[in-house]
Amino acid sequence: MGFAQLVIGPAGSGKSTYCSGLFQHCETVGRRIHMVNLDPAAEHFSYHVSTDIRELISLDDVMEELGMGPNGGLIYCMEHLEDNLDDWLDEQLENYLDDDYLVFDCPGQIELFTHVPVLRNFVEYLKRKNFTVCAVYLLDSQFVSDVTKYISGCMASLSAMIQLELPHINILSKMDLVSNKKDVEDYLNPEAAVLLSQLNREMAPRFGKLNKALADLVDDYSMVNFIPLDLRKESSIQYVLSNIDNCIQYGEDADVKVKDYIPEGDED
């Protein structure tokens, strides 16, 4: 049985940077992971890519040969991958052992993990291959500067949970850009009353019922919470990785332990 992370999130949320930081951390601690690029538009990587979708199809080729735009071309590429799961990807996965750990760096096109079935079918394929998979959803920490942006990020996260039906970890990325870490505390485990109050302050009174419905939706699911990630700190990366490992029961025989992550400066 293999293990896998499916790294998803909006464009610019830091998915590839997260993958790079994770790869470097695992190299440092002597842990072996394999990075798989699923973005046919990717150009450069700061980590070693074990398997690359561009060996099968690339966005540039699709746009040039079929005259498609970037959005339609990317959907075409992912559907082409779906059509070749039992051929090309089967051959790629033969290179890995039963207990190998794969990290799939996915494109940032939001419809891929909210309503287009490509990634869902990809997940089902991995399950048939006896992979235990965790969805890792990244949201830019700058979203918490505006409660309306934060709510939209939460809705996309919930949509991905429902679409993919996987163990799910939400990460608030780019914490190194947040000057005051206390500003994000209310958003790590959001409460309906706090969200509703902030939404009502930001939006016109006529949106009151909509605001309450959105805040209640986040609260009713009780599933939207975020782990802050600061890639400058090894302890932050390890804390995130430990939570993901626990989700997929990786290293269960080694008795993986998780302790609370305390941001630097808050130890006292």
Side-chain angles (χ1 to χ4, degrees):
M1 179 177 67
F3 302 89
Q5 294 184 29
L6 195 69
V7 183
I8 59 176
S13 59
K15 296 182 296 296
S16 293
T17 305
Y18 161 78
C19 289
S20 176
L22 181 64
F23 183 79
Q24 292 173 17
H25 170 77
C26 288
E27 274 198 326
T28 300
V29 300
R31 175 170 167 177
R32 187 180 182 187
I33 62 173
H34 304 278
M35 313 304 292
V36 180
N37 173 48
L38 288 187
D39 186 355
E43 295 181 352
H44 306 290
F45 299 97
S46 56
Y47 53 85
H48 173 71
V49 178
S50 299
T51 301
D52 193 343
I53 188 178
R54 295 175 305 171
E55 297 174 0
L56 173 69
I57 190 169
S58 73
L59 180 60
D60 286 343
D61 290 343
V62 169
M63 292 174 63
E64 181 179 345
E65 295 176 15
L66 301 180
M68 290 185 169
N71 291 331
L74 196 145
I75 295 293
Y76 179 90
C77 290
M78 298 307 291
E79 289 177 342
H80 185 71
L81 170 64
E82 182 181 2
D83 292 338
N84 287 272
L85 290 177
D86 293 324
D87 298 318
W88 180 78
L89 194 57
D90 255 5
E91 183 180 336
Q92 302 300 314
L93 293 182
E94 285 177 359
N95 299 322
Y96 301 112
L97 303 175
D98 287 343
D99 60 347
D100 275 346
Y101 196 109
L102 276 60
V103 178
F104 293 93
D105 187 1
C106 298
Q109 200 161 7
I110 194 169
E111 55 262 44
L112 288 174
F113 51 85
T114 56
H115 60 277
V116 174
V118 173
L119 278 186
R120 180 186 176 93
N121 294 337
F122 178 75
V123 166
E124 292 302 318
Y125 166 83
L126 290 178
K127 289 179 179 178
R128 291 196 301 271
K129 294 296 180 181
N130 294 320
F131 276 88
T132 302
V133 189
C134 176
V136 180
Y137 178 91
L138 273 73
L139 184 69
D140 190 335
S141 60
Q142 303 305 304
F143 269 55
V144 303
S145 64
D146 186 335
V147 67
T148 56
K149 291 180 181 178
Y150 176 76
I151 284 290
S152 71
C154 287
M155 293 300 104
S157 172
L158 279 173
S159 181
M161 288 183 195
I162 294 169
Q163 172 81 353
L164 300 177
E165 297 182 349
L166 286 173
H168 192 102
I169 294 286
N170 291 311
I171 294 175
L172 206 57
S173 62
K174 304 182 183 180
M175 285 296 293
D176 54 304
L177 302 179
V178 177
S179 55
N180 187 357
K181 301 299 188 289
K182 294 189 182 298
D183 291 342
V184 306
E185 287 182 356
D186 288 340
Y187 295 97
L188 299 180
N189 293 283
E191 295 184 7
V194 175
L195 292 178
L196 180 58
S197 173
Q198 293 178 344
L199 283 170
N200 286 338
R201 285 201 303 268
E202 294 285 335
M203 302 177 70
R206 67 177 181 273
F207 294 112
K209 289 185 178 179
L210 175 62
N211 293 342
K212 187 175 188 308
L214 289 171
D216 287 345
L217 179 61
V218 173
D219 189 57
D220 288 345
Y221 269 82
S222 297
M223 294 173 66
V224 181
N225 52 69
F226 289 86
I227 301 173
L229 174 63
D230 187 340
L231 287 172
R232 299 172 304 176
K233 303 173 183 176
E234 293 292 326
S235 59
S236 180
I237 303 172
Q238 182 57 47
Y239 180 71
V240 167
L241 183 57
S242 296
N243 276 272
I244 296 169
D245 288 347
N246 279 354
C247 268
I248 57 178
Q249 297 180 314
Y250 175 79
E252 195 175 48
D253 294 338
D255 191 22
V256 175
K257 297 179 180 179
V258 178
K259 65 179 181 178
D260 290 338
Y261 167 61
I262 303 175
E264 214 170 78
D266 291 352
E267 287 87 347
D268 297 334

